[in-house]
C-alpha cells in the first residue's frame, strides 16, 4: 500500500472497516476521530484505529490520506475542515453513497477526490466492521475537473490494496448508477416489508410464513434509517427517476397479468433469465 | 412417517426432492412418473424414485399417497386421472404454487387435498433436488369443504416428516398470501433486472458493478420461465392486486423523495426496520 499514515474521520461500520482493512494491507498507523466517543472507543478496542482523537486537527496531523466516513450530508463540511487542517500533500476522500453534491461543494479542494465503496452490512457501527468488507467490491472514484490526478491515483491504489476494484466515473453518472443498483433496491425492499407487514390474511401473518424469495428481497430493508434518509435526500432526483421508471414497468406487468398475456409474461421472465446468465 | 408407498408424478426439482426427503424419512418405496424420460431417468439415478414408470397407472398402483408435482396448469387433469386410477384409500395432493383453481376443479375428488411447500431453488430439474429442501419451510395445506379430513391429516403428517411446518389455510387466502410474499417478490426481481440490465451509464454496465443489495434483490429473477408464467397466469387476480398496491406505495415514496420530505422517508425506513426486528 502507498499510504503510511492514514486518518479516518467517522469510525462507524465503514470507517472502522477502512481502518481494519488498511492495517491488514500494511499501513503504518491509523488515527481516528468520531463525534461519538463510544464509537471511537470501540474502534480503538477492535484495533481499527491506533490513536483515537476527539479533535479533528490532532487526528489528521501528519496524515498522507484522510478518509471521511461520516453520513453523506456532513461530508462537505468535514472534508473542507480537514483540508484547512492538513497539509497540501495530504489526499482527502470520502466513502459516501452519493457524489454529485459532495463533489460540487468541494470543487475548491483540489486534493479531495470523491470515493464510494459499494458494500455494506445489515449491521451498523464499528462492532460489525470487517477487514474483508471491501474484498472484490466496486470502489467508485469520482474525479472531476477540479481534483488533482495525483489524489485519484493515491485513492485508487489504496482501494486496490484493500481488496476492492477501483472504478472511475464522473459524479453525476455515479449518482444515476447507484440510484439504479443500490438506492432503488433498498427502497423496493422497504416497500415490500411495509406491504407484507401490514397485511393480515385470515389469522395468518404473511411475513411469518414467507419463504426464501421474500427473505432475499427484504434482507436490506430497514437498514440504518438516519444514514439512508440522508442518502435518499441527497440523491433525490436520480432516485425519483428510477422509481418512476420502475413504476411504469410494474404498470406494464400488471396489464399483462390482468389480460393473461402469456407471451408477454414469458418474454419478461426469459429476458431476466438471459440478463442474469449474461 | 405414515406413508408406506409413495408415488410422485413429475420428477423435476420439487417431485424429486419429495422423493429424496420421503426416503430419508423412512417411506418404503417411491414410484415415479414424468412425461420427460430424461427427468425420470435422472430421478431414478439419484435415488429419488425406486421405480420409474412411463405409465401413470403403473406408478400410482398400490400407492398410499400420490404427490402431483407438475406445472400448476396441468395439476387438475393429472390429479383427476390419478383419482380414477388409484383406489379410494389413496390420498392425493400436489405441490403447486397456486391453489384456488386447482382445488375448485378438483372439488369432486374427496381424497385430494391441495398442498404447497413454500420453497424452491434457483435451479430447476431433478439434478438440483435435495432431501433437505423442505426443512423448516412452510408447507401449506388447503382443505376446503370438499376434501376428506383424513386426506389432510395424511398430508400434514407427511409434510412434517419431511421437515416442513404444515400450515392449513383456505385456497383463496393461500393465493392472496403467496401473491404477496412469493409471486410479488419474483415479479419485482424480474423488473429490477430488466431495468438495470437495459441501462448503460456512460461506458458502465450497472449490473456488472452492482453490489450485494442488487444481488440479494435479484437472486430469484428469471427463475424457470415456463413454471413462473403459469403461476402468474393462474394467480392473476391476487397478483395484479398486489402489484397495484405496490405501485401506489412507490408513487407515495416518489412524492416524498421529490419533495425531500425527510420525516416521511425516515418513518418509512424505520417502519421497515421495526417490522423486520418484530
Amino acid at each position: 500500500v502507498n499510504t503510511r499514515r492514514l486518518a479516518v474521520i467517522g469510525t462507524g461500520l465503514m470507517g472502522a472497516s477502512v481502518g481494519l482493512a488498511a492495517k491488514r494491507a500494511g499501513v503504518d498507523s491509523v488515527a481516528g476521530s468520531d463525534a461519538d466517543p463510544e464509537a471511537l472507543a470501540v474502534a480503538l478496542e477492535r484495533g481499527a484505529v491506533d490513536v483515537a482523537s476527539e479533535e479533528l486537527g490532532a487526528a489528521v496531523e501528519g496524515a498522507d490520506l484522510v478518509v471521511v466516513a461520516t453520513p453523506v450530508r456532513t461530508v462537505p463540511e468535514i472534508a473542507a475542515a480537514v483540508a484547512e487542517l492538513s497539509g497540501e500533500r495530504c489526499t482527502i476522500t470520502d466513502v459516501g453513497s452519493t457524489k454529485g453534491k459532495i463533489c460540487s461543494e468541494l470543487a475548491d479542494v483540489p486534493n479531495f477526490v470523491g470515493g464510494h465503496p459499494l458494500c455494506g452490512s445489515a449491521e451498523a457501527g464499528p462492532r460489525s466492521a470487517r477487514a474483508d468488507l471491501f474484498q472484490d467490491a466496486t470502489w467508485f472514484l469520482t474525479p472531476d475537473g477540479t481534483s488533482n490526478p495525483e489524489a485519484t491515483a493515491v485513492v485508487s491504489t489504496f482501494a486496490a490494496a484493500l481488496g476492492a476494484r477501483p472504478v472511475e466515473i464522473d459524479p453525476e453518472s455515479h449518482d444515476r448508477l447507484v440510484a439504479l443498483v443500490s438506492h432503488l433496491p433498498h427502497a423496493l425492499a422497504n416497500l415490500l416489508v411495509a406491504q407484507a407487514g401490514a397485511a393480515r390474511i385470515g389469522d395468518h401473518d404473511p411475513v411469518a410464513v414467507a419463504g426464501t424469495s421474500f427473505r432475499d428481497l427484504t434482507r436490506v430493508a430497514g437498514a440504518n434509517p438516519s444514514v439512508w434518509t440522508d442518502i435518499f435526500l441527497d440523491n433525490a432526483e436520480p432516485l425519483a427517476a428510477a422509481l418512476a421508471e420502475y413504476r411504469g414497468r410494474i404498470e406494464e406487468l400488471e396489464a399483462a397479468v390482468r389480460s393473461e398475456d402469456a407471451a408477454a409474461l414469458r418474454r419478461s421472465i426469459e429476458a431476466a433469465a438471459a440478463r442474469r446468465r449474461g
Side-chain angles (χ1 to χ4, degrees), chain A:
Chain A
V1 68
N2 53 338
T3 301
R4 306 263 49 103
R5 298 184 65 164
L6 172 70
V8 177
I9 312 305
T11 57
L13 171 72
M14 295 298 281
S17 294
V18 166
L20 289 173
K23 288 185 67 180
R24 196 179 64 168
V27 162
D28 287 341
S29 72
V30 181
S33 184
D34 198 295
D36 172 9
E38 164 78 14
L40 193 52
V42 172
L44 187 65
E45 177 195 314
R46 292 211 49 202
V49 304
D50 302 305
V51 183
S53 307
E54 289 188 28
E55 295 294 318
L56 196 60
V60 305
E61 194 184 345
D64 305 315
L65 175 63
V66 178
V67 176
V68 179
T70 59
V72 286
R73 297 227 138 181
T74 66
V75 170
E77 191 183 333
I78 292 173
V82 168
E84 292 284 324
L85 293 163
S86 63
E88 261 180 38
R89 298 180 50 197
C90 172
T91 298
I92 306 166
T93 189
D94 76 318
V95 295
S97 296
T98 56
K99 295 271 75 76
K101 286 189 187 171
I102 288 171
C103 293
S104 72
E105 291 186 28
L106 291 165
D108 57 352
V109 182
N111 49 335
F112 173 85
V113 60
H116 174 210
L118 196 56
C119 56
S121 158
E123 308 303 322
R127 288 195 200 282
S128 307
R130 290 165 22 210
D132 66 352
L133 188 66
F134 311 103
Q135 195 62 48
D136 301 323
T138 296
W139 191 311
F140 291 112
L141 302 174
T142 58
D144 50 19
T146 70
S147 46
N148 274 336
E150 293 77 16
T152 305
V154 165
V155 181
S156 180
T157 305
F158 180 76
L162 269 51
R165 293 178 287 112
V167 172
E168 287 189 32
I169 186 169
D170 67 277
E172 283 67 32
S173 296
H174 168 275
D175 287 357
R176 283 196 295 134
L177 195 154
V178 295
L180 192 54
V181 299
S182 172
H183 308 169
L184 177 61
H186 274 82
L188 298 177
N190 289 337
L191 297 178
L192 182 57
V193 166
Q195 183 163 336
R200 283 293 173 283
I201 295 176
D203 295 335
H204 299 277
D205 172 4
V207 175
V209 295
T212 49
S213 66
F214 183 78
R215 286 197 295 273
D216 281 349
L217 268 278
T218 57
R219 193 160 290 129
V220 299
N224 206 324
S226 38
V227 167
W228 278 92
T229 300
D230 271 10
I231 292 172
F232 286 177
L233 290 172
D234 223 50
N235 207 23
E237 188 49 49
L239 175 58
L243 286 167
E245 180 181 340
Y246 195 86
R247 190 160 49 83
R249 289 177 182 272
I250 292 190
E251 206 163 350
E252 270 178 48
L253 178 66
E254 210 183 307
V257 169
R258 285 197 198 276
S259 64
E260 305 198 15
D261 184 345
L265 292 175
R266 197 186 174 97
R267 267 198 312 276
S268 79
I269 303 171
E270 281 172 348
R275 194 58 184 78
R276 285 210 63 204
R277 279 193 303 268

